[in-house]
Amino acid sequence: SDTSSPNPKRIDVQTATRPELIQFVKDQSLCIKKLESVAKKYETKQKQLTSQLSTLQDTLSNAEKFSADQTKIITDLQKEKEKYCLLYENEADRSKKNLQTMLKLQEKIERYREKMKPGNDPTSSEIESEVSMLKDKMAVLQINEDDLKRQVSLLTEEKNNLRTELTELN
């Protein structure tokens, strides 16, 4: 019989001779060994594929977590940016109001200077007290203006830092 064939010829056990039966058993044995070898190869391949699948699933899971983390960071940075933009706008409005108040005070000072010119009647102590009060108000406003400029500078720096972080994330 052909030993290279995975399926040996069938024989009739009733009419087969002893050498034919021995050869048949040898062929069956060889066939079983070949099948066991193929089964082991398939089992090894299945283990490899299962391992690769597990690795791919882990990688996908990690990628999804990373993506979710990145999305959260970008969302948080966007919220921070909006917060600082609002603060920046509020500080700019406050600065504008202070500037308008300073201009009004300067106008008042100019009016008082006009009153102080020769020929005008107000008492010098009234004028001096008004001028002193206006100078004090202007000094306070100048301090507020300097503080606002410092805050605007800090907010601008923070905004630029956030832009840099956002750019690095993208």
Side-chain angles (χ1 to χ4, degrees):
S1 88
D2 182 12
T3 57
S4 66
S5 169
N7 294 321
K9 293 186 233 172
R10 295 183 183 262
I11 61 168
D12 183 3
V13 178
Q14 300 293 326
T15 60
T17 65
R18 182 175 164 87
E20 288 176 331
L21 287 174
I22 290 172
Q23 187 60 46
F24 178 75
V25 169
K26 285 180 182 178
D27 290 347
Q28 288 293 332
S29 215
L30 183 63
C31 187
I32 289 171
K33 285 180 183 175
K34 285 182 180 180
L35 288 173
E36 285 174 345
S37 172
V38 169
K40 281 184 182 178
K41 286 180 186 175
Y42 279 119
E43 187 178 321
T44 302
K45 189 65 175 174
Q46 182 182 8
K47 285 180 182 176
Q48 285 177 333
L49 291 174
T50 302
S51 174
Q52 288 174 347
L53 176 62
S54 177
T55 301
L56 287 173
Q57 287 171 334
D58 290 345
T59 302
L60 177 61
S61 175
N62 290 338
E64 288 170 347
K65 286 177 190 173
F66 179 77
S67 177
D69 290 346
Q70 291 295 89
T71 301
K72 184 184 180 327
I73 288 170
I74 290 171
T75 302
D76 290 349
L77 284 173
Q78 195 67 32
K79 287 178 184 175
E80 283 293 309
K81 177 183 169 192
E82 290 168 9
K83 179 179 102 177
Y84 280 107
C85 285
L86 187 60
L87 283 172
Y88 190 81
E89 289 171 8
N90 290 342
E91 292 300 324
D93 285 344
R94 224 174 95 193
S95 178
K96 183 179 175 184
K97 287 176 184 174
N98 275 347
L99 186 60
Q100 290 170 343
T101 303
M102 283 177 72
L103 290 172
K104 287 178 186 176
L105 287 173
Q106 283 179 335
E107 287 174 13
K108 277 187 178 181
I109 289 173
E110 287 302 316
R111 275 189 265 135
Y112 283 116
R113 283 189 181 149
E114 284 297 316
K115 284 183 182 180
M116 286 178 46
K117 285 187 177 177
N120 293 336
D121 297 50
T123 66
S124 64
S125 65
E126 282 178 9
I127 292 172
E128 284 175 13
S129 104
E130 280 292 317
V131 167
S132 175
M133 181 192 68
L134 289 174
K135 284 183 179 178
D136 289 346
K137 283 185 178 179
M138 282 190 66
V140 168
L141 286 172
Q142 186 62 48
I143 290 170
N144 287 344
E145 184 67 17
D146 292 344
D147 184 49
L148 284 172
K149 285 179 182 175
R150 184 181 56 74
Q151 289 180 14
V152 165
S153 173
L154 290 174
L155 288 172
T156 301
E157 186 179 322
E158 185 66 28
K159 179 183 73 172
N160 290 338
N161 288 343
L162 286 172
R163 275 194 185 137
T164 302
E165 287 179 36
L166 191 57
T167 301
E168 289 171 359
L169 286 175
N170 291 336

